[in-house]
mmCIF file of all heavy atoms in Angstrom:
data_model
loop_
_atom_site.group_PDB
_atom_site.id
_atom_site.type_symbol
_atom_site.label_atom_id
_atom_site.label_comp_id
_atom_site.label_asym_id
_atom_site.label_seq_id
_atom_site.Cartn_x
_atom_site.Cartn_y
_atom_site.Cartn_z
ATOM 1 N N ASN S 939 -4.065 43.403 5.636
ATOM 2 C CA ASN S 939 -5.342 43.439 4.903
ATOM 3 C C ASN S 939 -6.414 42.662 5.655
ATOM 4 O O ASN S 939 -6.125 41.642 6.277
ATOM 5 C CB ASN S 939 -5.176 42.802 3.520
ATOM 6 C CG ASN S 939 -4.361 43.664 2.588
ATOM 7 O OD1 ASN S 939 -3.169 43.846 2.809
ATOM 8 N ND2 ASN S 939 -4.973 44.198 1.564
ATOM 9 N N ASN S 941 -10.676 41.246 5.233
ATOM 10 C CA ASN S 941 -11.861 41.043 4.389
ATOM 11 C C ASN S 941 -13.071 40.593 5.195
ATOM 12 O O ASN S 941 -14.171 40.535 4.688
ATOM 13 C CB ASN S 941 -11.604 39.944 3.346
ATOM 14 C CG ASN S 941 -10.537 40.330 2.348
ATOM 15 O OD1 ASN S 941 -10.834 40.831 1.280
ATOM 16 N ND2 ASN S 941 -9.276 40.101 2.692
ATOM 17 N N SER S 965 -8.572 46.456 0.239
ATOM 18 C CA SER S 965 -8.264 46.398 -1.198
ATOM 19 C C SER S 965 -9.563 46.500 -1.999
ATOM 20 O O SER S 965 -10.661 46.402 -1.447
ATOM 21 C CB SER S 965 -7.572 45.071 -1.530
ATOM 22 O OG SER S 965 -8.511 44.013 -1.370
ATOM 23 N N ARG S 966 -9.418 46.641 -3.306
ATOM 24 C CA ARG S 966 -10.598 46.628 -4.176
ATOM 25 C C ARG S 966 -11.301 45.272 -4.047
ATOM 26 O O ARG S 966 -12.520 45.184 -4.007
ATOM 27 C CB ARG S 966 -10.164 46.849 -5.619
ATOM 28 C CG ARG S 966 -11.195 47.574 -6.444
ATOM 29 C CD ARG S 966 -10.698 47.693 -7.870
ATOM 30 N NE ARG S 966 -10.531 49.059 -8.305
ATOM 31 C CZ ARG S 966 -11.532 49.869 -8.661
ATOM 32 N NH1 ARG S 966 -12.776 49.473 -8.576
ATOM 33 N NH2 ARG S 966 -11.284 51.087 -9.095
ATOM 34 N N GLY S 967 -10.479 44.217 -3.950
ATOM 35 C CA GLY S 967 -11.039 42.868 -3.793
ATOM 36 C C GLY S 967 -11.853 42.755 -2.513
ATOM 37 O O GLY S 967 -12.910 42.117 -2.494
ATOM 38 N N ALA S 968 -11.388 43.371 -1.444
ATOM 39 C CA ALA S 968 -12.111 43.336 -0.165
ATOM 40 C C ALA S 968 -13.434 44.085 -0.290
ATOM 41 O O ALA S 968 -14.460 43.642 0.224
ATOM 42 C CB ALA S 968 -11.254 43.946 0.933
ATOM 43 N N ASP S 1007 -5.909 50.171 -0.086
ATOM 44 C CA ASP S 1007 -4.764 49.456 -0.662
ATOM 45 C C ASP S 1007 -4.937 49.374 -2.184
ATOM 46 O O ASP S 1007 -6.008 48.996 -2.671
ATOM 47 C CB ASP S 1007 -4.739 48.049 -0.040
ATOM 48 C CG ASP S 1007 -3.466 47.282 -0.370
ATOM 49 O OD1 ASP S 1007 -2.429 47.918 -0.629
ATOM 50 O OD2 ASP S 1007 -3.515 46.026 -0.348
ATOM 51 N N HIS S 1008 -3.914 49.726 -2.922
ATOM 52 C CA HIS S 1008 -3.925 49.638 -4.389
ATOM 53 C C HIS S 1008 -5.106 50.357 -5.041
ATOM 54 O O HIS S 1008 -5.754 49.801 -5.935
ATOM 55 C CB HIS S 1008 -3.900 48.172 -4.857
ATOM 56 C CG HIS S 1008 -2.593 47.490 -4.586
ATOM 57 N ND1 HIS S 1008 -1.466 47.701 -5.335
ATOM 58 C CD2 HIS S 1008 -2.246 46.613 -3.615
ATOM 59 C CE1 HIS S 1008 -0.471 46.983 -4.843
ATOM 60 N NE2 HIS S 1008 -0.911 46.313 -3.791
ATOM 61 N N GLU S 1067 -2.488 38.241 -8.204
ATOM 62 C CA GLU S 1067 -3.531 38.329 -7.203
ATOM 63 C C GLU S 1067 -4.801 38.620 -7.975
ATOM 64 O O GLU S 1067 -4.768 39.007 -9.128
ATOM 65 C CB GLU S 1067 -3.256 39.490 -6.244
ATOM 66 C CG GLU S 1067 -2.031 39.293 -5.410
ATOM 67 C CD GLU S 1067 -2.354 38.746 -4.038
ATOM 68 O OE1 GLU S 1067 -3.293 39.232 -3.413
ATOM 69 O OE2 GLU S 1067 -1.673 37.808 -3.608
ATOM 70 N N GLU S 1068 -5.895 38.486 -7.289
ATOM 71 C CA GLU S 1068 -7.183 38.677 -7.967
ATOM 72 C C GLU S 1068 -7.254 40.018 -8.699
ATOM 73 O O GLU S 1068 -7.687 40.106 -9.827
ATOM 74 C CB GLU S 1068 -8.287 38.581 -6.920
ATOM 75 C CG GLU S 1068 -9.625 38.226 -7.532
ATOM 76 C CD GLU S 1068 -10.695 38.199 -6.479
ATOM 77 O OE1 GLU S 1068 -10.385 37.893 -5.308
ATOM 78 O OE2 GLU S 1068 -11.829 38.521 -6.821
ATOM 79 N N LYS S 1069 -6.822 41.075 -7.995
ATOM 80 C CA LYS S 1069 -6.965 42.415 -8.586
ATOM 81 C C LYS S 1069 -5.630 43.087 -8.855
ATOM 82 O O LYS S 1069 -5.576 44.229 -9.249
ATOM 83 C CB LYS S 1069 -7.776 43.318 -7.638
ATOM 84 C CG LYS S 1069 -9.142 42.804 -7.287
ATOM 85 C CD LYS S 1069 -10.138 43.077 -8.388
ATOM 86 C CE LYS S 1069 -11.438 42.364 -8.063
ATOM 87 N NZ LYS S 1069 -12.357 42.381 -9.190
ATOM 88 N N VAL S 1070 -4.558 42.417 -8.547
ATOM 89 C CA VAL S 1070 -3.246 43.033 -8.717
ATOM 90 C C VAL S 1070 -2.392 42.079 -9.535
ATOM 91 O O VAL S 1070 -1.963 41.057 -9.048
ATOM 92 C CB VAL S 1070 -2.562 43.262 -7.350
ATOM 93 C CG1 VAL S 1070 -1.282 44.054 -7.523
ATOM 94 C CG2 VAL S 1070 -3.492 43.954 -6.382
ATOM 95 N N HIS S 1103 3.604 39.918 -4.830
ATOM 96 C CA HIS S 1103 2.350 39.504 -4.195
ATOM 97 C C HIS S 1103 2.147 37.986 -4.290
ATOM 98 O O HIS S 1103 2.622 37.350 -5.218
ATOM 99 C CB HIS S 1103 1.169 40.219 -4.863
ATOM 100 C CG HIS S 1103 1.158 41.696 -4.613
ATOM 101 N ND1 HIS S 1103 1.434 42.631 -5.577
ATOM 102 C CD2 HIS S 1103 0.921 42.399 -3.480
ATOM 103 C CE1 HIS S 1103 1.357 43.847 -5.063
ATOM 104 N NE2 HIS S 1103 1.059 43.737 -3.781
ATOM 105 N N HIS S 1136 5.457 46.369 -0.396
ATOM 106 C CA HIS S 1136 4.309 45.485 -0.647
ATOM 107 C C HIS S 1136 4.830 44.056 -0.758
ATOM 108 O O HIS S 1136 6.035 43.817 -0.726
ATOM 109 C CB HIS S 1136 3.617 45.884 -1.964
ATOM 110 C CG HIS S 1136 2.727 47.067 -1.801
ATOM 111 N ND1 HIS S 1136 1.371 47.000 -1.954
ATOM 112 C CD2 HIS S 1136 3.010 48.347 -1.477
ATOM 113 C CE1 HIS S 1136 0.851 48.190 -1.737
ATOM 114 N NE2 HIS S 1136 1.824 49.032 -1.442
ATOM 115 N N ASN S 1179 3.568 45.544 4.020
ATOM 116 C CA ASN S 1179 2.238 44.990 3.711
ATOM 117 C C ASN S 1179 2.216 43.463 3.775
ATOM 118 O O ASN S 1179 3.060 42.799 3.161
ATOM 119 C CB ASN S 1179 1.845 45.378 2.283
ATOM 120 C CG ASN S 1179 1.463 46.821 2.146
ATOM 121 O OD1 ASN S 1179 1.735 47.631 3.023
ATOM 122 N ND2 ASN S 1179 0.825 47.162 1.043
ATOM 123 N N ASP S 1181 -0.683 40.319 3.450
ATOM 124 C CA ASP S 1181 -2.043 39.804 3.231
ATOM 125 C C ASP S 1181 -2.005 38.276 3.125
ATOM 126 O O ASP S 1181 -2.704 37.558 3.837
ATOM 127 C CB ASP S 1181 -2.608 40.434 1.935
ATOM 128 C CG ASP S 1181 -4.074 40.086 1.727
ATOM 129 O OD1 ASP S 1181 -4.632 39.326 2.539
ATOM 130 O OD2 ASP S 1181 -4.677 40.548 0.748
ATOM 131 N N THR S 1182 -1.148 37.775 2.243
ATOM 132 C CA THR S 1182 -1.075 36.336 1.971
ATOM 133 C C THR S 1182 -0.912 35.501 3.241
ATOM 134 O O THR S 1182 -1.578 34.468 3.412
ATOM 135 C CB THR S 1182 0.094 36.061 0.996
ATOM 136 O OG1 THR S 1182 -0.214 36.693 -0.246
ATOM 137 C CG2 THR S 1182 0.311 34.572 0.774
ATOM 138 N N ARG S 1185 -4.157 34.969 4.944
ATOM 139 C CA ARG S 1185 -5.007 34.019 4.216
ATOM 140 C C ARG S 1185 -4.546 32.590 4.482
ATOM 141 O O ARG S 1185 -5.355 31.686 4.711
ATOM 142 C CB ARG S 1185 -4.913 34.277 2.706
ATOM 143 C CG ARG S 1185 -5.399 35.635 2.288
ATOM 144 C CD ARG S 1185 -5.168 35.844 0.799
ATOM 145 N NE ARG S 1185 -5.608 37.185 0.426
ATOM 146 C CZ ARG S 1185 -5.795 37.590 -0.803
ATOM 147 N NH1 ARG S 1185 -5.558 36.804 -1.814
ATOM 148 N NH2 ARG S 1185 -6.208 38.817 -1.054
HETATM 149 O O1 LIG F 2476 -1.820 43.505 -2.734
HETATM 150 C C1 LIG F 2476 -2.917 42.980 -2.876
HETATM 151 C C2 LIG F 2476 -3.666 42.416 -1.733
HETATM 152 O O2 LIG F 2476 -3.144 41.189 -1.350
HETATM 153 C C3 LIG F 2476 -5.133 42.405 -2.012
HETATM 154 O O3 LIG F 2476 -5.551 41.391 -2.852
HETATM 155 O O4 LIG F 2476 -7.352 42.384 -4.281
HETATM 156 O O5 LIG F 2476 -7.259 39.919 -3.840
HETATM 157 O O6 LIG F 2476 -7.910 41.507 -2.036
HETATM 158 P P1 LIG F 2476 -7.105 41.300 -3.292
#
Side-chain angles (χ1 to χ4, degrees):
N939 289 67
N941 295 265
S965 68
R966 211 182 242 283
D1007 190 26
H1008 291 284
E1067 294 263 315
E1068 202 182 330
K1069 303 280 172 190
V1070 187
H1103 293 109
H1136 281 246
N1179 286 15
D1181 187 357
T1182 295
R1185 298 176 182 194

